[in-house]
Amino acid sequence: MTAADREGARTEGARRLNDLLGAVVVLADGRQVGHVNDVRLAGGPHLQYYLVDGIIVGRRAEGSLLGYDRREVHGPWLVRVLVGWANRGAGYVPWRAVRQIDWEGARVVVDRVDPLEDGHAAL
Amino acid sequence: MADRPGFRRQYDAGLHLLDRQIVGRDGLPVAKVDDLELRVRADGRLAVSALLVGPGALGPRVGGRLGRWTVSIWRRLRPDADPPTGRVDATLVTGTDSAVHVTATTEELGLDGFERWVRRYVVEPIPGSGHDGS
């Protein structure tokens, strides 16, 4: 494999993270529960072995939670409180609860949304 | 001697990888991570397959008129009719800290990072933009 195997970007089955970020998240009955705010990767030991482990769902289509929803990010308490308030209701959908991804329609159908727990972001 | 950067147990892709500086084997900056390529495996799982860099990756992410303009100008300035998006294969990544470290250098990767692209096509054509040692 060459150092910059750029043609691979067009290979079948290759998608972009950006196509997932901001996508509408709906339950199987069609109820909208939020948008994809971030994508959690797990696995290893090297980057090519990391798989999407789940999606972090926020109420807003744009603007990340700035990491304030995740334990390892500390900051001024007022910022944390305000961002937390603005993004209240954030959740986590484990991969096994992702039923379908409509890449062209930017829509993800899920079975459920779990609470976003601090433990999700373990180092 | 400082520890070599390794890998986290988990990554929140947007938080921990996007917009991070890619650093080459020689310690010099290569480009920023503008997007990630996810490969759909046979079992339906999504695996990280590459870091995507340059205007071809950043433009769609910016979106709107500015994003389309970025991609359009980049395509016009490239010699090939349908230029591929800059791509750093995931197998080249050796670890992460505040940056993403790779085994290759900028020259070996042959990438057209956004900053290099702007320097080459926007800044350098401006008269007087070069360094004057005198």
Side-chain angles (χ1 to χ4, degrees), chain A residues 1-10 13-18 20-21 38-43 45-48 50-53 56 66-67 70 72-73 95 101 103 119-123, chain B residues 7-18 35-41 44-48 51-52 56-57 60-61 78 82-87 89-93 108-111:
Chain A
M1 184 177 296
T2 60
D5 185 14
R6 294 185 289 173
E7 285 300 323
R10 296 170 178 165
R15 299 290 183 173
R16 292 189 180 193
L17 172 68
N18 184 53
L20 205 50
L21 297 178
D38 210 336
V39 172
R40 184 150 294 163
L41 309 170
H46 300 288
L47 191 62
Q48 68 269 30
Y50 279 81
L51 304 177
V52 172
D53 190 61
I56 296 168
L66 303 177
R70 282 151 277 187
E72 82 265 32
V73 178
W95 178 257
I101 298 177
W103 293 94
H120 281 306
L123 289 169
Chain B
F7 292 91
R8 302 169 63 94
R9 190 168 70 80
Q10 291 181 331
Y11 289 89
D12 288 349
L15 182 66
H16 298 127
L17 292 172
L18 285 188
D35 206 344
L36 290 185
E37 182 188 274
L38 302 172
R39 179 175 55 85
V40 184
R41 302 196 320 180
R45 297 295 300 268
L46 295 168
V48 178
L51 313 174
L52 301 178
R61 201 175 136 212
R78 291 296 297 257
D82 187 17
T85 298
R87 183 176 185 276
D89 200 276
T91 58
L92 299 175
V93 177
E108 290 166 350
L109 290 164
L111 294 173

Side-chain angles (χ1 to χ4, degrees), chain A residues 6-78:
Chain A
R6 294 185 289 173
E7 285 300 323
R10 296 170 178 165
T11 54
E12 284 295 318
R15 299 290 183 173
R16 292 189 180 193
L17 172 68
N18 184 53
D19 293 334
L20 205 50
L21 297 178
V24 175
V25 179
V26 298
L27 295 172
D29 62 7
R31 276 185 297 150
Q32 182 174 326
V33 292
H35 295 82
V36 177
N37 195 279
D38 210 336
V39 172
R40 184 150 294 163
L41 309 170
H46 300 288
L47 191 62
Q48 68 269 30
Y49 300 120
Y50 279 81
L51 304 177
V52 172
D53 190 61
I55 57 177
I56 296 168
V57 179
R59 296 177 66 195
R60 290 147 48 92
E62 296 177 0
S64 74
L65 305 178
L66 303 177
Y68 280 89
D69 54 315
R70 282 151 277 187
R71 176 181 284 168
E72 82 265 32
V73 178
H74 300 287
W77 69 269
L78 180 58

Side-chain angles (χ1 to χ4, degrees), chain B residues 72-94:
Chain B
S72 176
I73 297 296
W74 168 69
R75 286 182 183 278
R76 284 173 181 269
L77 292 174
R78 291 296 297 257
D80 30 349
D82 187 17
T85 298
R87 183 176 185 276
V88 179
D89 200 276
T91 58
L92 299 175
V93 177
T94 56

Side-chain angles (χ1 to χ4, degrees), chain B residues 27-134:
Chain B
L28 297 176
V30 172
K32 293 279 179 59
V33 180
D34 292 318
D35 206 344
L36 290 185
E37 182 188 274
L38 302 172
R39 179 175 55 85
V40 184
R41 302 196 320 180
D43 62 359
R45 297 295 300 268
L46 295 168
V48 178
S49 50
L51 313 174
L52 301 178
V53 306
L58 183 61
R61 201 175 136 212
V62 171
R65 187 174 296 176
L66 178 61
R68 288 194 299 274
W69 178 83
T70 301
V71 175
S72 176
I73 297 296
W74 168 69
R75 286 182 183 278
R76 284 173 181 269
L77 292 174
R78 291 296 297 257
D80 30 349
D82 187 17
T85 298
R87 183 176 185 276
V88 179
D89 200 276
T91 58
L92 299 175
V93 177
T94 56
T96 65
D97 42 29
S98 60
V100 178
H101 299 265
V102 298
T103 57
T105 65
T106 302
E107 285 67 31
E108 290 166 350
L109 290 164
L111 294 173
D112 211 3
F114 187 67
E115 293 158 30
R116 290 160 53 85
W117 179 84
V118 169
R119 188 190 318 139
R120 183 184 307 165
Y121 293 109
V122 178
V123 176
E124 289 181 355
I126 299 173
S129 65
H131 288 288
D132 187 352
S134 63

